[in-house]
Amino acid sequence: MVTAATRTRDLLWSDIEAVYAAILDHPFLAGLADGTLPRAAFRHYVVQDSHYLRGYARALAVCAAKAPDDRGTALFAAGAGNAVAAEQGMHAGLLDGLGTTARAAAAEPVAPTTQAYLSYLLATAYGGSFPEALGAVLPCYWIYARVGADLVDRGSPDPLYAEWIAMYGGERFQAVVDEVLDLTDRVGADLAPGELAAMRRHFATTSRYEWMFWDAGYRRETWPV
């Protein structure tokens, strides 16, 4: 039941419980945990994630500019920088382990799901209000932290997959997510019903894109024509 005391984060999560269950059940994540995910699928995912993080950093920079206070600006400005650092650092290490380079990955095409997700994300960030932008960027923070926490308990026999799991399942990443969730609750508490509905709609949409992104990696999605 939604009451006046319900935190915005709880309301948002209630909208995507079925989506998150589908994410946890996806064979991509199961394969990460038990080590059976084909390296070619993981490579496709990492290459596309490198493309995605460059766009995501821009969306976070827009959130920083639109934030209602200095704390929000600092949080998202740091997040934008960290997204670029992750793309340049962690992904470079993963790609090296996959037998390729960041330069080669950058030259590969942006896949359809990656393009669609980024187009939606950036259109919402640039064209919407701060709460709408926040709703759109939040799943990439929150769902990855939840997935990481689930997978870190299971571990992985594949050292490359274990490295990925450790990054998102660690306390450092969770601390950043907690800050974003605290901001979400503060902002959401003052929203008019229509503004909150828009925030929920964007949050649910990009949560679905998160499932689609892992699914695209598993299928090694390419343009059909």
Side-chain angles (χ1 to χ4, degrees):
M1 176 181 293
V2 176
T3 69
T6 302
R7 297 180 303 179
T8 302
R9 73 177 75 181
D10 299 326
L11 186 58
L12 293 172
W13 194 261
S14 71
D15 291 336
I16 67 151
E17 287 178 350
V19 175
Y20 184 66
I23 287 171
L24 284 185
D25 286 342
H26 198 283
F28 185 100
L29 294 180
L32 279 178
D34 64 19
T36 61
L37 180 70
R39 282 291 182 94
F42 189 64
R43 183 189 182 282
H44 186 284
Y45 162 81
V46 173
V47 168
Q48 292 305 311
D49 201 38
S50 296
H51 290 313
Y52 171 83
L53 284 176
R54 286 192 288 274
Y56 188 63
R58 292 181 174 87
L60 294 181
V62 176
C63 286
K66 292 186 174 184
D69 55 36
D70 291 344
R71 290 169 62 189
T73 297
L75 176 62
F76 285 113
N82 289 337
V84 173
E87 191 272 322
Q88 293 177 340
M90 183 191 78
H91 281 75
L94 291 174
L95 289 167
D96 182 66
L98 291 165
T100 189
T101 66
R103 184 174 182 178
E108 294 190 25
V110 178
T113 294
T114 309
Q115 185 71 65
Y117 189 176
L118 283 176
S119 295
Y120 184 90
L121 190 67
L122 290 168
T124 304
Y126 280 102
S129 64
F130 176 74
E132 289 180 281
L134 175 58
V137 302
L138 180 57
C140 190
Y141 278 112
W142 200 2
I143 289 176
Y144 267 67
R146 293 286 294 260
V147 166
D150 181 80
L151 294 186
V152 80
D153 291 335
R154 291 191 263 169
S156 178
D158 187 305
L160 205 61
Y161 299 167
E163 179 183 348
W164 184 94
I165 291 169
M167 176 175 177
Y168 292 110
E171 293 181 1
R172 184 176 179 182
F173 184 67
Q174 184 61 57
V176 174
V177 174
D178 287 342
E179 286 189 78
V180 178
L181 290 173
D182 288 343
L183 175 60
T184 300
D185 289 337
R186 295 198 307 272
V187 170
D190 297 326
L191 293 181
E195 294 173 313
L196 180 59
M199 185 184 197
R200 293 173 68 176
R201 183 173 66 253
H202 293 307
F203 179 79
T205 298
T206 53
S207 294
R208 292 185 176 100
Y209 271 123
E210 288 294 329
W211 182 93
M212 291 171 63
F213 197 86
W214 275 306
D215 186 65
Y218 189 72
R219 293 184 291 107
R220 289 171 250 175
E221 179 190 61
T222 58
W223 291 94
V225 293

